[in-house]
C-alpha cells in the first residue's frame, strides 16, 4: 500500500476528530495505513482513493470511522470493577431502589458487548432477587460492526477464553464453533450505535454509568464534555466508572472520586430522588 502523504494525514486527522472525537497524534501515519489496508483490499482501491472519497461517500466515511475505532474488550475485563459491583455497589443499589425494583446500567463504548453481558452474568449469579426486578443494561458504541456483534451475542472460542470463568458458560449455548448468549442475558441487554461527540439525546437516568478506557483517546475539552454528559445521565448520587488510568483531575465536572474496594469510582451530587420515566434504548445495528 502506498504510504499516506503528510497533507493527507493532516486532513484525515481533522476528519477523524470531527466524526469521532478521536485525537490522532503526530506520528500515527502507520496506524492509519494499517487500519485502512483491509478496507482498501475489500473495496479493491488504494488508500489515496479512500481518503479522497471521504467527503462525498457517507458509507465509505462510516466504514473508515469503524476501521479506526479501537474495539479491544474482553469478558470481565480488569476484574476489579466487577468485584466492586458485586461487593458494594449493587448491594447499595438494591437497598436504595427497593421501592421501585428498577436498575439501570449504562455500558458506554460497549464494543462487541462483553462488558454488558459480563454485568448481566454477575447480576444473575450473585443477586437472584433481581430476577423479579426491571433490569436494563444499555450499551452504545460508535462502530456499527461492533454493535451488530453485540446484538448478536455470538462469540468465538478465543473470545470466550479471554476472561470468562468456566462457571459462566451456563449463560451460553454452543452453536458450532461459536458461543451464543442465552435469552436470560439478552433480555436485560440492549445495544445501539451512538457517537460520543454527537448529541446523546434522551438517555437514562442510570444508577451506574461505565465509560472505561475511552477518554484516553480524546483531548481535554472533549473529555470534559463527555464527563459532563455522563454526570447528566447518571442519577443523583449515582456512580460513574472510568478506566483504571482515567481521572477527573483538572476537569471542571461535578463528579467526586470515591474508593470502592480496589476501584476508584466517581459519584454524582446527591440532589434528589431519581425518577424512572424514560424509555429503554431500542437495539439497532
Amino acid at each position: 500500500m502506498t504510504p499516506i502523504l503528510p497533507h493527507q494525514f493532516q486532513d484525515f486527522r481533522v476528519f477523524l476528530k470531527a466524526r469521532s472525537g478521536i485525537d490522532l497524534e503526530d506520528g500515527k501515519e502507520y496506524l492509519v495505513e494499517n487500519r485502512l489496508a483491509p478496507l482498501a483490499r475489500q473495496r479493491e482501491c488504494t488508500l489515496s482513493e479512500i481518503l479522497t472519497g471521504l467527503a462525498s461517500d457517507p458509507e465509505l466515511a462510516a466504514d473508515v470511522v469503524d476501521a479506526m475505532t479501537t474495539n479491544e474488550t474482553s469478558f470481565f475485563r480488569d476484574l476489579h470493577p466487577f468485584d466492586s459491583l458485586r461487593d458494594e455497589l449493587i448491594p447499595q443499589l438494591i437497598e436504595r431502589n427497593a421501592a421501585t425494583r428498577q436498575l439501570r446500567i449504562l455500558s458506554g463504548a460497549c464494543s462487541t458487548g462483553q462488558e454488558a453481558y459480563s454485568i448481566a452474568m454477575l447480576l444473575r449469579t450473585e443477586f437472584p432477587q433481581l430476577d423479579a426486578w426491571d433490569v436494563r443494561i444499555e450499551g452504545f458504541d460508535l462502530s456499527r460492526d461492533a454493535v451488530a456483534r453485540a446484538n448478536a451475542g455470538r462469540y468465538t472460542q478465543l473470545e470466550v477464553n479471554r476472561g470468562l470463568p468456566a462457571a459462566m458458560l451456563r449463560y451460553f449455548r454452543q452453536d458450532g464453533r461459536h458461543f451464543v448468549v442465552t435469552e436470560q442475558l439478552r433480555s436485560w441487554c440492549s445495544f445501539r450505535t451512538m457517537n460520543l461527540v454527537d448529541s446523546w439525546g434522551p438517555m437514562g437516568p442510570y444508577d451506574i454509568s461505565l465509560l472505561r478506557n475511552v477518554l484516553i483517546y480524546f483531548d481535554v475539552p472533549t473529555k470534559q464534555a463527555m464527563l459532563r454528559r455522563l454526570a447528566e445521565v447518571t442519577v443523583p448520587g449515582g456512580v460513574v466508572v472510568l478506566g483504571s488510568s482515567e481521572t477527573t483531575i483538572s476537569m471542571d465536572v461535578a463528579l467526586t472520586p470515591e474508593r470502592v474496594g480496589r476501584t476508584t469510582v466517581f459519584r454524582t451530587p446527591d440532589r434528589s430522588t431519581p425518577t424512572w420515566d424514560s424509555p429503554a434504548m431500542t437495539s439497532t445495528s
Side-chain angles (χ1 to χ4, degrees):
M1 174 177 285
T2 304
I4 187 171
L5 299 175
H7 74 276
Q8 292 176 321
F9 179 65
Q10 295 306 320
D11 289 345
F12 185 74
R13 290 178 67 181
V14 173
F15 160 80
L16 191 62
K17 177 73 179 295
R19 287 294 299 266
S20 70
I22 296 174
D23 192 22
L24 207 57
E25 299 175 351
D26 289 331
K28 294 292 186 178
E29 290 89 347
Y30 72 92
L31 179 64
V32 177
E33 293 163 3
N34 290 341
R35 292 284 180 87
L36 298 188
L39 183 60
R41 290 194 294 269
Q42 177 187 334
R43 287 177 168 257
E44 299 182 341
C45 64
T46 65
L47 174 60
S48 181
E49 288 171 332
I50 286 179
L51 298 174
T52 302
L54 290 176
S56 58
D57 187 339
E59 188 67 22
L60 172 63
D63 287 344
V64 165
V65 171
D66 255 13
M68 291 302 301
T69 302
T70 300
N71 290 317
E72 172 63 23
T73 189
S74 62
F75 289 104
F76 295 94
R77 185 180 182 185
D78 301 328
L79 195 57
H80 295 158
F82 296 94
D83 290 341
S84 298
L85 286 170
R86 180 195 63 216
D87 297 339
E88 298 190 46
L89 296 176
I90 298 302
Q92 290 171 6
L93 285 171
I94 288 175
E95 182 178 354
R96 174 177 174 170
N97 295 356
T100 62
R101 297 208 302 176
Q102 293 178 316
L103 182 61
R104 302 289 184 270
I105 298 175
L106 175 67
S107 176
C110 64
S111 187
T112 46
Q114 283 94 320
E115 178 177 82
Y117 288 127
S118 294
I119 295 170
M121 283 184 272
L122 182 145
L123 298 183
R124 290 285 191 190
T125 301
E126 301 291 341
F127 305 99
Q129 65 268 47
L130 292 178
D131 289 350
W133 282 42
D134 177 11
V135 177
R136 301 178 194 173
I137 304 167
E138 302 177 351
F140 70 79
D141 198 272
L142 173 63
S143 170
R144 299 174 303 171
D145 289 344
V147 168
R149 292 202 57 215
N151 276 315
R154 185 180 177 88
Y155 300 99
T156 65
Q157 179 75 63
L158 178 61
E159 289 170 320
V160 166
N161 287 344
R162 293 191 65 200
L164 186 72
M168 296 299 183
L169 280 172
R170 68 181 183 273
Y171 294 110
F172 294 79
R173 62 175 177 84
Q174 194 160 0
D175 181 16
R177 295 184 178 181
H178 289 83
F179 294 81
V180 184
V181 297
T182 62
E183 184 58 31
Q184 191 180 28
L185 294 189
R186 195 186 303 274
S187 65
W188 277 1
C189 299
S190 62
F191 304 92
R192 67 160 172 160
T193 54
M194 193 182 84
N195 193 332
L196 280 166
V197 299
D198 290 342
S199 171
W200 289 18
M203 292 177 60
Y206 303 102
D207 296 290
I208 299 175
S209 298
L210 298 95
L211 189 67
R212 299 196 297 147
N213 308 305
V214 177
L215 296 180
I216 54 176
Y217 297 105
F218 304 115
D219 60 19
V220 171
T222 306
K223 290 178 183 178
Q224 195 165 38
M226 290 181 185
L227 287 170
R228 286 174 176 168
R229 288 173 178 172
L230 275 178
E232 290 170 357
V233 301
T234 306
V235 300
V239 166
V240 170
V241 183
L242 305 178
S244 59
S245 63
E246 296 169 325
T247 181
T248 60
I249 293 175
S250 301
M251 302 285 175
D252 182 21
V253 293
L255 291 169
T256 303
E258 176 182 320
R259 195 70 176 173
V260 178
R262 299 175 67 181
T263 305
T264 297
V265 302
F266 301 87
R267 188 81 63 173
T268 61
D270 194 356
R271 299 180 299 272
S272 62
T273 302
T275 58
W276 304 102
D277 55 3
S278 60
M281 294 192 296
T282 56
S283 299
T284 60
S285 57

